[in-house]
Amino acid sequence: MRLRLFALLLACCAPGVAGASEASERAARDLQRIDAALAAMPAQRPGAVDLYVVGFAGDGNEQVFGNEVAYLRTLMAQRHGNEGRTLVLANRPDARRREDTPLATLDNLRHALAGIAATMDPEEDLLLVYLASHGTARHQLAVGQPGLFETFLKPTQLRVALDDAGIPRRVVIVSACYSGGFIPALQDAGTIVLTAARHDRTSFGCGDTESATYFGRALLVEGMNRDGGLLDAFQYARRQVARREKMDRLTPSEPQMDVGSDALARLQAWEAGAQRGPVAAYPHD
């Protein structure tokens, strides 16, 4: 009887043990990939403002979020002269088969931010973080990879990760439902926060049938391929999202913006020196 009970326990526990082992091994490989990406970044340029970018696709149940952060790398390199200074973390349906991109976890995000802080000149350069996922009414982002882990990212956790990295000037873009709820925890003179929705509103365009969210398409694919700066692109995205929501008879999401004066000055300095390239086509349509 004891032997049979022991066998049943092994059968019940083995999948969980295997899953934990897989997650642990993947985490170690991801840290190595992040370090390799950081080591390959171009050298920081004294006297010039460099922009470092992190893309974070949180919910791996749908491809749409991974599409946007993958495109972000192409957009920043081709259109905005940011070649080599973008690091992407992404959960997506095929991530367990493809290991070319580190998973989007809080540990990986913290590791990436610390590495970028060591690579950049924090007193001279600027960080942009783009987070895309499902958001909850409690102002948390879904962070999960099917079969490996499932959790949430809170605004305070993101703020602590940014502060601990020691990067004083940053732009944070949150593309998710209820993402306006991230603003209170992040706002200060050194931070620009752009969100896809008001704190009490949903945003639109996720799901297996979509290649980009309403906000992601309007901001990244359309707005940031136009002339003008990032805040111009955001205002364009606001108008485009409102127009599309009206056509679809949806409750307006009302994208939000909070602009810290120190971060704005640094963003404008980077934009003044950036070399604009050709329009970056969106490959996921």
Side-chain angles (χ1 to χ4, degrees):
M1 182 66 179
R2 288 182 178 179
L3 287 175
R4 184 183 178 191
L5 179 60
F6 182 65
L8 288 172
L9 287 171
L10 283 178
C12 292
C13 295
V17 172
S21 176
E22 179 186 352
S24 178
E25 292 173 1
R26 177 65 188 261
R29 291 195 299 270
D30 279 354
L31 294 182
Q32 293 174 352
R33 289 184 176 87
I34 292 169
D35 289 341
L38 292 167
M41 286 185 176
Q44 191 274 341
R45 301 174 301 164
V49 179
D50 290 319
L51 178 69
Y52 293 79
V53 179
V54 175
F56 186 96
D59 193 329
N61 289 291
E62 296 175 10
Q63 189 65 37
V64 63
F65 306 120
N67 286 350
E68 290 184 7
V69 299
Y71 173 72
L72 179 67
R73 191 198 324 257
T74 302
L75 173 70
M76 298 310 298
Q78 181 174 315
R79 180 65 174 164
H80 297 282
N82 197 54
E83 181 69 50
R85 291 191 174 90
T86 298
L87 201 161
V88 169
L89 309 174
N91 304 325
R92 54 193 181 193
D94 61 351
R96 294 180 75 174
R97 292 185 289 105
R98 295 178 52 189
E99 296 194 5
D100 53 324
T101 302
L103 295 176
T105 68
L106 179 56
D107 285 345
N108 284 351
L109 177 61
R110 292 177 67 91
H111 190 77
L113 292 176
I116 286 175
T119 302
M120 72 192 312
D121 181 344
E123 296 305 316
E124 185 171 77
D125 299 327
L126 181 69
L127 170 73
L128 187 152
V129 181
Y130 182 92
L131 305 103
S133 189
H134 288 295
T136 75
R138 298 177 64 184
H139 308 139
Q140 300 175 334
L141 294 185
V143 177
Q145 179 57 45
L148 290 182
F149 60 88
E150 183 177 350
T151 185
F152 293 93
L153 175 63
K154 301 176 182 179
T156 52
Q157 291 175 308
L158 179 58
R159 175 63 187 257
V160 169
L162 290 165
D163 289 348
D164 285 352
I167 302 174
R169 280 165 285 276
R170 56 263 184 139
V171 178
V172 180
I173 304 174
V174 188
S175 179
C177 295
Y178 309 106
S179 47
F182 271 68
I183 290 176
L186 295 173
Q187 63 185 165
D188 61 26
T191 306
I192 294 171
V193 188
L194 309 177
T195 73
R198 215 169 72 179
H199 74 282
D200 57 350
R201 296 285 177 89
T202 59
S203 55
F204 303 97
C206 55
D208 292 333
T209 62
E210 300 290 341
S211 61
T213 62
Y214 285 19
F215 179 75
R217 181 177 297 280
L219 179 68
L220 301 180
V221 183
E222 299 175 11
M224 292 185 69
N225 274 307
R226 292 164 54 90
D227 292 336
L230 174 62
L231 300 190
D232 296 319
F234 177 77
Q235 296 293 2
Y236 169 86
R238 258 183 173 167
R239 296 191 298 271
Q240 288 298 98
V241 167
R243 185 176 295 116
R244 188 170 179 184
E245 290 168 341
K246 184 176 182 179
M247 289 176 57
D248 294 343
R249 299 182 179 180
L250 299 170
T251 301
S253 54
E254 297 189 13
Q256 300 291 299
M257 174 172 64
D258 187 86
V259 179
S261 57
D262 292 351
L264 176 60
R266 194 55 47 90
L267 174 64
Q268 291 172 335
W270 171 72
E271 290 175 340
Q275 298 296 315
R276 192 70 60 89
V279 169
Y282 191 64
H284 303 292
D285 288 332

